């Protein structure tokens, strides 16, 4: 039975990674689009980013060196990822529920990473759990895991309540939305409860992590904790196939859409890619398009439907 | 009128011909004084019986696109099939490489948190009517995407929500695509980066590029007319030159300076392209440009090539092919004259269309630099080349930020530097800059007045801007104090002109609107005083 749990946990991780990769590739492989940026763009120079200005504010901008303020982007992304700054600014009521949920997940992810690292290190240094460092690590991942689970469950419950009770949100809520939040509450709640119900003779979370890594069939997991881990693995596998994978989308919506202000004159690659796209043959049916499937976008763009289609 | 009902997505497919919502003045967002009494607001002109009989008008109290009603069930079915075919094409590389990536992202990741709704001026002004919630339209498209493009089954319907497709739904969706200003304020606040403005834009494209359905002001009388005679105003090169000659004479008399607009000067540094609507509706604007550029010793010219004298590019709002065709005409006009750069006059959407959106379709050999007139004017004003007397502009001035130029292009400060230098009583609107509110005329609405659409445009789309204007001038509403609303964009000016006239704010409170160059010329010490005539126009 323990082996089944290990397989589910591994499968959950593999499906999650494969799903995320597939989704990222789907967006990355989509053709580059026409520019559609939104200001402020934080990689502008700080004095311009402050008021949301662009290089278009500079006379003969094409004769000046391009400016890319990476630090500006990092600052904005950091505040957005860690503290959901956009939500704080534009939807404060929701932030009080969404932030604990997301921050709780960050803590759980951090806990998992720490446990994984400790478990791997303990294979090399078996005495690690009994050393001072091992004891400190134990307290750290116990605290982050406990706090993470608590915040995640409270946040998800708060979001669920808002979805059901708020007359602005309820009409826009589908069965899937409710299921997603319930799934989080159930999986994290069960795992958390399972941990709280453990007795000293049960394996520790570090031993379980080592067991997952080494497929140690000798471990006997308490049933509630085992159920929580299975639910957690299923939830992990499910996420990439829902809108909840917005942590992947967000990279593209910010970097590839909102902040993509690169002019084509400064990139031979851009010009080459767009030359390829102009050779595509669209099939739009409206008569003014003149798209019969044989004409390229370049043919269409250089034709004039108001003058009999001549170029 | 009936009491407002909370509309839901399944209502879109209702077969009765009754509008889904009715809006009454009492439902709308309250305005500040002196327009704070809804009972004194204009009543909406009802949609005529003829319009109801002929067109698809079952969305709300108005009708923007005037789609003829199909005569048979077969015709309805054919249109639905065309719609679904177009929907598929929106998500294919060959047909929609132009916006496929951002569209996919907006389809697949909306968390339905409604943060966007709080930022939408139309939703707020309508009294938070569900129909105008930014996600209402997007949610329909999202459900269609999962059902018909991704071929989702029962599980997908449960996860994303189901939707019924019939002709009434498609017909209502056509109208709903034209209840958004495409200002993208909602996208700016979306924590995930989903873009409801883009969804409305892509819907308009589907209807135009697949079904041949678009607002006639944008297509037949807009981009098609421009590609036929050179300008959506209907002016050909001869007429436009005649008009400019008349404007030059008028400006010479008015300013005391000799004003001459150069045409087709090969090798000039700058090709200036105006929105040709200025030439007909606000001739003092191109006239003021000529005064400033000549006084500053700038080497510039206008072009008489097809579309070379009209910067409008309505394709930006509804059709990628039309956008590309017009952008190419602009660039070819510049190439022919061998100018160093194109400078765009006071027209926001022309700025964005040619400088930003068309940038990547202007490949090698076509990528002539494009620049905003705001930076050129800022440089002239700050350089000391003009003798300027700000005391001539000693009246309250506020500045409207055209969305296309500011939030969507990042030209924020140059125009502010000018008004701060030249207008001692300048005050900002709240909010302003990239957080501005649309004038309500964006995405083509400023030139659209079919049926009773103007009533919707003023009561709903323009309401938030009206509130901002009244608040900006709240300390000086006394009609004895003339006030200037500066809007460096032709379409915004068109909307603001109509909006101010609708509420009679010139007669009652002396709020005048105009461009930026007029303020500059008004402050030029070498020009006869009183360039800005405090008269309604």
């Amino acid at each position: 039975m323990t082996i089944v749990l290990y397989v589910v946990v591994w499968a959950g991780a593999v499906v999650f990674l494969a799903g995320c990769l597939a989704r990222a590739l789907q967006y990355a492989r989509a053709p580059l689009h026409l520019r559609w940026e939104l200001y402020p763009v934080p990689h502008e120079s700080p004095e311009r980013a402050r008021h949301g200005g662009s290089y278009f504010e500079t006379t003969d901008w094409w004769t000046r060196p391009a400016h890319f303020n990476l630090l500006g982007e990092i600052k904005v992304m950091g505040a957005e990822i860690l503290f959901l700054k956009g939500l704080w600014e534009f939807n404060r009521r929701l932030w009080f529920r969404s932030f604990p949920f997301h921050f709780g997940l960050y803590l759980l992810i951090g806990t998992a990473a720490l446990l994984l690292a400790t478990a791997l290190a303990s294979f090399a240094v078996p005495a690690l759990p009994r050393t001072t460092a091992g004891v400190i690590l134990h307290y750290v991942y116990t605290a982050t895991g406990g706090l993470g689970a608590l915040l995640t469950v409270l946040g998800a419950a708060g979001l669920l309540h808002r979805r059901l009770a708020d007359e602005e949100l309820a009409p826009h809520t589908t069965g899937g939305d409710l299921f997603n939040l319930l799934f989080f509450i159930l999986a994290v709640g069960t795992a958390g409860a399972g941990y709280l119900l453990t007795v000293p003779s049960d394996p520790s979370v570090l031993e379980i992590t080592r067991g997952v890594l080494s497929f140690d069939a000798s471990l006997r997991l308490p049933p509630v904790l085992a159920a929580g881990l299975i639910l957690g693995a299923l939830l992990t596998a499910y996420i990439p196939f829902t809108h909840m994978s917005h942590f992947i989308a967000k990279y593209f919506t910010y970097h590839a859409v909102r902040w993509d202000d690169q002019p084509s004159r400064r990139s031979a690659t851009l010009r080459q890619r767009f030359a390829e796209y102009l050779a595509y043959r669209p099939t739009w049916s409206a008569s003014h398009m003149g798209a019969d499937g044989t004409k390229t976008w370049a043919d269409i763009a250089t034709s004039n439907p108001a003058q009999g289609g001549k170029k | 009128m009936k009491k407002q009902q909370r509309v839901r997505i399944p209502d879109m497919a209702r077969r009765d011909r009754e509008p889904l919502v009715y809006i009454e003045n009492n439902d709308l967002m309250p305005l500040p004084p002196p327009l704070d009494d809804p009972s004194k607001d204009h009543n909406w002109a009802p949609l005529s019986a003829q319009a109801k009989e002929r067109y698809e008008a079952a969305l709300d109290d108005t009708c923007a696109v005037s789609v003829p009603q199909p005569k048979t069930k077969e015709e309805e079915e054919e249109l639905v099939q065309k719609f679904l075919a177009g929907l598929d094409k929106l998500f294919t590389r060959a047909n929609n490489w132009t916006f496929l990536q951002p569209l996919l992202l907006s389809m697949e990741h909306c968390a339905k948190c409604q943060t966007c709704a709080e930022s939408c001026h139309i939703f707020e002004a309508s009294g938070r009517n569900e129909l105008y919630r930014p996600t209402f339209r997007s949610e329909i498209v999202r459900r269609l995407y999962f059902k018909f493009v991704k071929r989702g089954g029962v599980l997908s319907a449960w996860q994303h929500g189901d939707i019924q497709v019939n002709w009434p739904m498609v017909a209502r969706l056509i109208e709903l695509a034209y209840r958004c200003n495409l200002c993208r304020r909602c996208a700016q606040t979306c924590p995930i980066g989903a873009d409801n403005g883009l969804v409305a834009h892509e819907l308009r494209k589907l209807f135009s590029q697949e079904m041949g359905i678009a607002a006639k002001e944008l297509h037949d009388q807009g981009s098609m007319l421009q590609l036929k005679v050179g300008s959506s105003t209907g002016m050909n090169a001869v007429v436009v030159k005649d008009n400019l000659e008349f404007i030059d004479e008028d400006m010479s008399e008015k300013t005391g300076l000799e004003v001459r607009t150069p045409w087709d000067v090969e090798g000039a540094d700058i090709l200036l392209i105006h929105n040709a609507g200025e030439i007909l509706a606000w001739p003092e604007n191109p006239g003021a440009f000529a005064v400033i550029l000549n006084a500053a010793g700038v080497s510039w010219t206008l072009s008489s090539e097809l579309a070379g004298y009209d910067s409008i590019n309505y394709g930006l709002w509804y059709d990628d092919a039309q956008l590309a065709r017009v952008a190419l005409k602009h660039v070819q006009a510049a190439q022919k004259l061998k100018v160093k750069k194109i400078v765009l006059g006071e027209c926001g959407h022309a700025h964005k269309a040619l400088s930003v959106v068309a940038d990547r379709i202007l490949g090698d050999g076509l990528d002539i630099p494009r620049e905003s007139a705001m930076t050129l004017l800022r440089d002239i004003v700050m350089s000391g080349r003009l003798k300027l007397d700000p005391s001539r502009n000693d009246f309250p001035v506020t500045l409207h930020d055209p969305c296309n130029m500011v939030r969507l292009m990042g030209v924020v400060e140059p125009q502010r530097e000018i008004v701060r230098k030249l207008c001692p009583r300048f005050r900002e609107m709240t909010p302003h800059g990239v957080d501005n509110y649309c004038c309500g005329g964006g995405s083509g609405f400023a030139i659209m007045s079919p049926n009773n659409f103007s009533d919707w445009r003023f009561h709903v789309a323009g309401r938030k801007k009206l509130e901002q204007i009244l608040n900006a001038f709240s300390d000086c509403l006394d009609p004895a104090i003339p006030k200037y609303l500066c809007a460096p964009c032709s379409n915004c000016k068109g909307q603001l002109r109509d909006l101010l006239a609708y509420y009679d704010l010139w007669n009652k409170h002396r709020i005048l609107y105009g461009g930026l160059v007029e303020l500059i010329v008004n402050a030029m010490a070498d020009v006869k005083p009183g360039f800005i005539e405090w008269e309604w126009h």
Side-chain angles (χ1 to χ4, degrees), chain A:
Chain A
M1 199 57 202
T2 306
I3 293 294
V4 173
L5 182 140
Y6 294 158
V7 170
V8 172
V9 170
W10 274 103
V14 169
V15 172
F16 175 80
L17 291 174
C20 288
L21 185 66
R23 201 173 267 274
L25 284 176
Q26 177 200 3
Y27 300 135
R29 285 177 177 164
L32 299 172
H33 49 85
L34 299 186
R35 278 173 60 182
W36 199 244
E37 67 253 35
L38 263 176
Y39 290 86
V41 168
H43 60 236
E44 269 293 347
S45 62
E47 62 273 16
R48 275 211 291 261
R50 209 167 292 128
H51 64 256
S54 69
Y55 54 80
F56 287 115
E57 291 188 332
T58 307
T59 309
D60 295 342
W61 59 265
W62 54 94
T63 63
R64 316 288 169 95
H67 188 94
F68 193 94
N69 177 16
L70 182 63
L71 189 62
E73 275 202 2
I74 291 171
K75 275 187 193 165
V76 171
M77 282 314 290
E80 182 57 37
I81 293 168
L82 283 177
F83 304 114
L84 311 187
K85 186 170 176 285
L87 207 58
W88 171 260
E89 211 170 313
F90 302 116
N91 196 346
R92 192 74 53 92
R93 279 180 67 211
L94 194 63
W95 185 89
F96 284 109
R97 294 158 193 248
S98 189
F99 174 72
F101 175 69
H102 284 88
F103 201 74
L105 287 176
Y106 297 159
L107 287 175
L108 289 178
I109 293 164
T111 304
L114 201 57
L115 269 170
L116 205 59
T118 311
L120 287 169
S122 72
F123 287 129
V125 187
L128 178 68
R130 292 183 298 279
T131 64
T132 308
V135 172
I136 291 171
L137 280 170
H138 168 78
Y139 284 118
V140 170
Y141 57 67
T142 304
T144 54
L147 185 61
L150 184 69
L151 287 174
T152 303
V153 171
L154 285 177
L159 289 169
L160 184 64
H161 171 259
R162 180 102 196 266
R163 284 238 156 259
L164 292 168
D166 189 311
E167 62 172 24
E168 300 265 318
L169 261 64
H172 304 279
T173 299
T174 62
D177 296 325
L178 300 178
F179 174 80
N180 294 345
L181 289 166
L182 280 170
F183 202 170
F184 271 100
I185 295 168
L186 191 67
V188 180
T190 307
Y195 176 78
L196 291 175
L197 291 171
T198 51
V199 292
S201 59
D202 288 330
S204 69
V205 284
L206 181 61
E207 285 167 333
I208 295 171
T209 312
R210 286 169 54 96
V212 170
L213 291 172
S214 61
F215 274 79
D216 179 358
S218 67
L219 288 184
R220 289 290 169 267
L221 268 67
V224 181
L225 185 58
L229 290 176
I230 288 173
L231 284 169
L234 294 175
L235 173 64
T236 307
Y238 170 67
I239 286 171
F241 306 98
T242 70
H243 75 80
M244 293 186 292
S245 56
H246 54 242
F247 53 89
I248 300 167
K250 219 162 161 167
Y251 171 81
F252 293 96
T253 55
Y254 279 69
H255 294 274
V257 184
R258 272 189 188 185
W259 299 345
D260 179 12
D261 61 348
Q262 191 178 26
S264 61
R265 64 168 41 237
R266 287 195 164 136
S267 167
T269 313
L270 268 183
R271 292 198 297 278
Q272 189 193 334
R273 293 278 292 273
F274 280 87
E276 286 168 23
Y277 303 155
L278 287 168
Y280 287 168
R281 298 173 198 280
T283 55
W284 292 106
S285 299
S287 61
H288 74 275
M289 292 294 294
D292 56 8
T294 64
K295 294 199 180 81
T296 64
W297 273 103
D299 295 330
I300 290 166
T302 51
S303 67
N304 188 340
Q307 294 188 340
K310 74 175 185 185
K311 293 197 175 184

Side-chain angles (χ1 to χ4, degrees), chain A residues 23 26-40 48 51-62 80 86-87 90-91 94 162-163 167-177 179-180 238 241-250 252-254 256-258 260-266 270-271 273-275 277-278 280-290 297-307 310-311, chain B residues 6 8 82 86 89-90 93-102 104-105 108-115 118 123 128 130 133 135-136 143 145 150 158-161 184 187-195 198 201 205-206 208-212 219 224 227-228 306 319-325 328-329 340-341 352 355-357 359-364 367-372 375 378-379 406-414 434:
Chain A
R23 201 173 267 274
Q26 177 200 3
Y27 300 135
R29 285 177 177 164
L32 299 172
H33 49 85
L34 299 186
R35 278 173 60 182
W36 199 244
E37 67 253 35
L38 263 176
Y39 290 86
R48 275 211 291 261
H51 64 256
S54 69
Y55 54 80
F56 287 115
E57 291 188 332
T58 307
T59 309
D60 295 342
W61 59 265
W62 54 94
E80 182 57 37
L87 207 58
F90 302 116
N91 196 346
L94 194 63
R162 180 102 196 266
R163 284 238 156 259
E167 62 172 24
E168 300 265 318
L169 261 64
H172 304 279
T173 299
T174 62
D177 296 325
F179 174 80
N180 294 345
Y238 170 67
F241 306 98
T242 70
H243 75 80
M244 293 186 292
S245 56
H246 54 242
F247 53 89
I248 300 167
K250 219 162 161 167
F252 293 96
T253 55
Y254 279 69
V257 184
R258 272 189 188 185
D260 179 12
D261 61 348
Q262 191 178 26
S264 61
R265 64 168 41 237
R266 287 195 164 136
L270 268 183
R271 292 198 297 278
R273 293 278 292 273
F274 280 87
Y277 303 155
L278 287 168
Y280 287 168
R281 298 173 198 280
T283 55
W284 292 106
S285 299
S287 61
H288 74 275
M289 292 294 294
W297 273 103
D299 295 330
I300 290 166
T302 51
S303 67
N304 188 340
Q307 294 188 340
K310 74 175 185 185
K311 293 197 175 184
Chain B
R6 188 168 197 139
R8 302 181 67 118
K82 260 192 155 179
K89 290 176 190 177
L90 264 192
R93 203 178 175 93
N95 283 297
N96 200 27
W97 57 270
T98 48
F99 287 98
L100 180 60
Q101 189 193 49
L104 279 175
L105 290 162
E108 297 184 347
H109 292 285
C110 174
K112 297 175 226 165
C113 66
Q114 307 306 329
T115 304
E118 303 308 315
F123 177 63
R128 305 177 75 81
E130 278 300 306
R133 183 182 286 278
T135 55
F136 188 87
R143 291 182 183 191
Y145 165 72
K150 300 277 275 187
W158 168 80
Q159 192 179 12
H160 305 290
R184 296 176 67 215
Q188 198 181 33
T189 63
C190 175
I192 287 164
D195 190 337
L198 174 76
H201 176 261
K205 274 169 48 183
L206 185 170
S208 175
Q209 296 176 184
E210 183 68 12
M211 303 172 76
H219 187 68
M224 288 300 270
L227 287 167
K228 186 176 181 188
L306 187 78
D319 193 299
D320 286 343
Q322 298 294 84
L323 166 88
R325 285 162 175 157
L328 286 176
K329 293 280 175 231
K340 290 182 182 155
K341 61 185 174 186
K352 192 178 99 175
S355 305
V356 180
V357 181
D359 178 62
R360 291 174 179 171
I361 47 178
L362 302 175
D364 291 325
D367 191 17
I368 187 160
R370 289 92 60 200
E371 191 168 88
S372 168
T375 53
R378 184 261 323 270
D379 288 358
V406 180
R407 177 168 37 255
L408 307 180
M409 190 175 161
V411 179
V412 185
E413 269 298 300
V434 292

